[in-house]
Amino acid sequence: MGQKGVCCCCAALRPRYKRLVDNIFPEDPKDGLVKADMEKLTFYAVSAPEKLDRIGAYLAERLSRDVVRHRYGYVLIAMEALDQLLMACHSQSIKPFVESFLHMVAKLLESGEPKLQILGTNSFVKFANIEEDTPSYHRRYDFFVSRFSAMCHSCDPDPEIQNGIRMAGIRGIQGVVRKAVNDELRATIWEPQHMDKIVPSLLFNMHKIEDVDSRIGPPSSPAAGVKEENPSMLAENCFRELLGRATYGNMNNAVRPVFAHLDHHRLWDPNEFAVSCFKIIMYSIQAQYSHHVIQEILGHLDVRKRDSPRVRAGIIQVLLEAVAIAAKGSIGPTVLEVFNTLLKHLRISVDFELGDRRSSAGSGTLSTSSKESDERIVQNAIIQTIGFFGSNLPDYQRSEIMMFIMSKVPVLGTTSKSLDPSNLGDLGTRRIQIMLLRSLLMVTSGYKGTTISNALPAPFLDPLLSPSLMEDSELRQLVLEILHNLIDRHDNRAKLRGIRIIPDVSDLKIKRDKISRQDVSFMKKHGQQLYRHIYLGCKEEDNVQKNFELLFTSLALTTIELANEEVVIDLIRLAIALQDVAIINEDNLPMFNRCGVMALVAAYLNFLSQMIAVPAFCQHVSKVIETRSVEAAYFLPETIFKEKCDLPKSLEKDEKDLFFLTNKIAESLGGSGYNVERLSVPYVPQVTDEDRLSRRKSIVDTVSIQVDILSGNSSEDKVDNTEEITFEALKKAIDNNGLEEQEKEKRRLVIEKFQKAPFEEIAAQCETKANMLHDRLAQILELTIRPPPSPSGTMTITSGHAHYHSVPVYEMKFPDLF
């Protein structure tokens, strides 16, 4: 009798490969594989590779029979033999043998015995590490993906067995990924039907880890033993490897199942696992593909825009963590898309918040207060994400983002590309204004423009300063803080925090450079805008201490960064004008505001006098401050901004010792070489189109002041035309009885103005008038490009001469200045 009950005659007639296979199996499976016979079988397979497919088929037949009969010892021997044959044979004829091998592995994985499942997985992993000479164009791993994924979700009641099966499933997935990616048909494994099984299986095991923080950060290399003992760590390593192998075309297929898993298991609130998951993703993928992940997060945020606020906030926080990593590398073309999507969701959040508030007010309940607070969480998360992303961008991109965000700030009464405030009402518009300005504040944090014109270009400066005219102290505070970020190029703002009388400015160790020509040019073009907004900002009734502190810092930073001799004179004129605002009080400001303005002027002139270091100027300022500290402490910031400060009932205009006097300042600066002629010209802010949009009560007074001053240098007809645009002129024009007396009074005031006004003031006003004339002439000259409707009866003004050939006379709209 031959081996295992086969007679010698029959055994001799069997094919050689079967005899060699039979010989490797001992009588007692406990003895293990017969090594000597295994060497003979291996030599035969290498020498006759065409027999490999038959060897494999026969081994598969024996293994299947042993699995059915539960003869697991022989199963182990058969798999060991298969493994050795795979490692030894690498010829082209190994393909049929591999098919038999995979069929046997599938048999083991289908069995309900955990040991056989683990055995089959180990064999598959060994096979996955073999580099085949030629790719297989027909082999698919669909079954193995499904089976290994199912093993990752094992719920065996025995924790040890459960742990072993899950780890085997994870290693199997890792083997499938390696084998499929190394194959030329690598696109197969990245198909959605496979990724939808692989990725959730890995995430399921990763979520079981207790120490979530251990995964945050770039991939590390812990000891191999630690990896093998923990399914969570093994799943994470496999997940990192999968993402690291992803390319441009299949990145999205690997990321989308993550969102499905987080949605299904409700892992956005709380979102610790979601955050750690996307940190792993961002650190594992190639840097140039980061924008794919960001686009997917933005897309998912759009999909979940109707979900609860905490879910949306969780997604936005994940986006924040993603862009924080992506901003350090390549962020691709998604910069504006990120900001545009976030601003859109900011509007949606405000809609939800105000809608809940209105429904709560209509029903008379307060049940929506928690929803409102949750929406605030969403809004804060959006602002934080916008600010963090913007602050990590290069300067050239940050400038574009600043312009982009500013273009979205809604202004009541205008139609622009901003977030449409029509359906929000005043409250909703204000909420969006504040949040966008807060976002802009974070974006501008740390920005260092080489010149101030780069930091504050005209298309950005004009819309930025518009909110500073609005009747909202918080909006004005944000605008000033944004200005500080852009103007402060030497980090002096922290040294100037708070409003106070600084005893010795040199102790602050202010850093400054020589004013560049570009900065001088900027102040000539836009300095009046800055002065005007500081001036009007001081006249707001709802100003609080923080407003005055920020206004002081604005003046101080302007002095440090942008002040030459001409700007110094303008700043002094502005300070004196503010002092006059408090003394004369044409705007009927509360006493606190008047004292606050006086304190602001004192703090600033004290700072300015020490910065320019003119002894006589410093002496005058110090003397006024000393007098105030004794007789009127409420004119100093240290007193007026205390919690309890006794305010005066009135301000006496005749107490010259308490005020900074223009003639004294001019005398002190004139002796040091300053051109002080312009000090005698009172500062008057320019009136712009922004005043119509600001809805400020004090703008009407400002317009009237300027009209009065301009009328002093106008002809009698010009006075009439100017007054026609004011309310008083229209009112008096209706009263025909008082028209003659009105005209006489105007003539008298004009004559008196020219008789008594200083020459410097008249000259300055004439210069302003000349500039206006120049602008009007420029507008007229532009009309010369119109085609002539007829050769006669037309006139063009060019170079001061009239030529009859271009513009019809009836189309020429000459300004009132003519």
Side-chain angles (χ1 to χ4, degrees), residues 631-809:
E631 301 180 10
Y634 43 78
F635 284 167
L636 299 177
E638 290 81 358
T639 302
I640 187 59
F641 295 124
K642 289 182 179 179
E643 292 185 4
K644 296 181 180 180
C645 175
D646 295 331
L647 299 176
K649 296 181 179 180
S650 62
L651 297 183
E652 299 296 335
K653 302 179 181 179
D654 298 332
E655 297 181 0
K656 303 296 184 181
D657 293 341
L658 299 177
F659 307 140
F660 302 99
L661 304 178
T662 304
N663 58 347
K664 294 286 185 68
I665 296 175
E667 182 181 349
S668 62
L669 294 179
S672 297
Y674 282 83
N675 183 4
V676 296
E677 293 181 359
R678 293 174 58 246
L679 280 178
S680 60
V681 181
Y683 170 77
V684 178
Q686 297 177 349
V687 180
T688 67
D689 293 338
E690 296 173 356
D691 297 325
R692 299 198 309 270
L693 311 176
S694 64
R695 304 192 303 176
R696 297 174 66 257
K697 297 178 182 178
S698 57
I699 290 296
V700 177
D701 300 331
T702 306
V703 175
S704 300
I705 292 173
Q706 189 167 20
V707 168
D708 290 342
I709 292 179
L710 292 178
S711 65
N713 288 329
S714 303
S715 63
E716 181 178 343
D717 295 335
K718 175 57 185 171
V719 173
D720 293 340
N721 291 333
T722 303
E723 288 297 333
E724 285 175 0
I725 65 172
T726 65
F727 175 75
E728 291 297 329
L730 292 173
K731 181 179 178 181
K732 292 180 179 179
I734 299 174
D735 186 6
N736 296 326
N737 295 331
L739 183 61
E740 184 177 356
E741 288 78 9
Q742 177 186 354
E743 294 295 329
K744 291 181 181 179
E745 180 65 17
K746 288 178 183 177
R747 294 189 188 97
R748 187 187 65 79
L749 290 175
V750 170
I751 295 172
E752 183 179 353
K753 186 77 172 179
F754 275 89
Q755 288 177 343
K756 298 182 179 180
F759 173 76
E760 293 80 4
E761 179 179 350
I762 296 174
Q765 293 171 344
C766 290
E767 181 182 0
T768 302
K769 184 71 69 174
N771 292 335
M772 295 173 61
L773 177 61
H774 179 271
D775 294 340
R776 291 298 181 92
L777 285 173
Q779 295 176 2
I780 294 170
L781 290 176
E782 292 180 358
L783 298 175
T784 60
I785 64 174
R786 297 182 183 178
S790 62
S792 62
T794 60
M795 180 179 70
T796 299
I797 299 178
T798 57
S799 304
H801 302 282
H803 302 279
Y804 288 85
H805 69 85
S806 180
V807 183
V809 175

Side-chain angles (χ1 to χ4, degrees), residues 442-487:
M442 296 188 68
V443 171
T444 57
S445 177
Y447 181 79
K448 295 290 188 296
T450 54
T451 62
I452 196 65
S453 57
N454 290 337
L456 287 171
F460 176 74
L461 180 63
D462 294 337
L464 174 65
L465 294 179
S466 295
S468 68
L469 298 177
M470 297 181 183
E471 295 179 330
D472 191 296
S473 62
E474 186 175 359
L475 282 172
R476 299 196 302 273
Q477 292 171 13
L478 289 170
V479 171
L480 291 174
E481 289 179 316
I482 293 169
L483 280 175
H484 299 169
N485 282 344
L486 298 174
I487 295 176

Side-chain angles (χ1 to χ4, degrees), residues 102-122 124 140-156 161 164-174 176 189 193-194 196-198 201-202 205:
L102 293 177
H103 176 70
M104 287 183 281
V105 171
K107 285 287 185 181
L108 296 179
L109 295 177
E110 286 178 335
S111 68
E113 182 63 34
K115 292 182 179 179
L116 295 185
Q117 294 178 1
I118 295 174
L119 176 64
T121 301
N122 293 338
F124 183 85
R140 296 183 64 87
Y141 300 101
D142 301 21
F143 168 80
F144 296 99
V145 170
S146 300
R147 189 59 194 159
F148 288 137
S149 299
M151 292 169 63
C152 290
H153 294 81
S154 173
C155 297
D156 194 282
I161 295 177
I165 295 177
R166 287 186 179 183
M167 291 183 66
I170 296 169
R171 284 196 296 267
I173 288 177
Q174 195 172 28
V176 172
I189 195 64
Q193 63 265 29
H194 297 321
D196 290 344
K197 298 173 183 177
I198 292 174
S201 300
L202 299 176
N205 285 275

Side-chain angles (χ1 to χ4, degrees), residues 277-501:
C277 230
F278 276 91
K279 282 190 174 183
I280 292 173
I281 293 173
M282 297 302 295
Y283 280 120
S284 300
I285 63 175
Q286 300 180 45
Q288 63 268 28
Y289 303 147
S290 297
H291 62 279
H292 279 286
V293 181
I294 295 175
Q295 284 177 328
E296 290 297 322
I297 300 175
L298 292 173
H300 195 68
L301 183 60
D302 287 336
V303 171
R304 304 297 300 270
K305 63 183 179 181
R306 298 292 177 183
D307 280 35
S308 67
R310 292 189 175 274
V311 170
R312 286 181 281 126
I315 299 175
I316 294 169
Q317 187 177 357
V318 167
L319 178 64
L320 171 61
E321 299 294 342
V323 298
I325 299 171
K328 300 175 184 177
S330 172
I331 52 178
T334 59
V335 178
L336 286 180
E337 182 181 354
V338 171
F339 289 99
N340 197 34
T341 302
L342 289 174
L343 294 179
K344 179 179 68 176
H345 284 276
L346 188 63
R347 164 62 190 269
I348 292 173
S349 178
V350 173
D351 282 339
F352 286 159
E353 179 186 356
L354 296 181
D356 292 339
R357 183 175 300 178
R358 286 190 290 265
S359 62
S360 175
S363 60
T365 61
L366 299 176
S367 59
T368 58
S369 59
S370 61
K371 292 184 180 180
E372 290 182 13
S373 61
D374 288 345
E375 290 296 343
R376 295 293 178 94
I377 294 175
V378 175
Q379 295 159 15
N380 291 333
I382 293 175
I383 292 171
Q384 188 179 9
T385 304
I386 291 175
F388 190 87
F389 193 13
S391 62
N392 280 277
L393 292 174
D395 285 345
Y396 72 93
Q397 280 187 324
R398 204 190 308 196
S399 299
E400 295 177 0
I401 295 305
M402 288 159 49
M403 298 280 291
F404 179 76
I405 296 176
M406 200 66 242
S407 69
K408 298 293 184 180
V409 177
V411 178
L412 292 172
T414 63
T415 56
S416 63
K417 297 180 180 180
S418 62
L419 297 179
D420 182 18
S422 57
N423 298 326
L424 292 175
D426 292 352
L427 181 60
T429 301
R430 177 185 178 275
R431 288 282 299 146
I432 288 184
Q433 287 170 337
I434 289 177
M435 287 183 289
L436 289 179
L437 290 176
R438 285 175 57 193
S439 303
L440 189 59
L441 178 62
M442 296 188 68
V443 171
T444 57
S445 177
Y447 181 79
K448 295 290 188 296
T450 54
T451 62
I452 196 65
S453 57
N454 290 337
L456 287 171
F460 176 74
L461 180 63
D462 294 337
L464 174 65
L465 294 179
S466 295
S468 68
L469 298 177
M470 297 181 183
E471 295 179 330
D472 191 296
S473 62
E474 186 175 359
L475 282 172
R476 299 196 302 273
Q477 292 171 13
L478 289 170
V479 171
L480 291 174
E481 289 179 316
I482 293 169
L483 280 175
H484 299 169
N485 282 344
L486 298 174
I487 295 176
D488 184 19
R489 292 171 288 180
H490 297 86
D491 298 323
N492 292 313
R493 181 175 38 172
K495 304 170 185 177
L496 301 168
R497 185 170 291 122
I499 179 171
R500 64 196 186 280
I501 303 297

Side-chain angles (χ1 to χ4, degrees), residues 169-201:
I170 296 169
R171 284 196 296 267
I173 288 177
Q174 195 172 28
V176 172
V177 171
R178 289 176 180 175
K179 195 65 178 175
V181 169
N182 290 332
D183 201 330
E184 289 187 5
L185 296 179
R186 62 182 62 185
T188 304
I189 195 64
W190 298 106
E191 292 177 358
Q193 63 265 29
H194 297 321
M195 287 291 105
D196 290 344
K197 298 173 183 177
I198 292 174
V199 174
S201 300

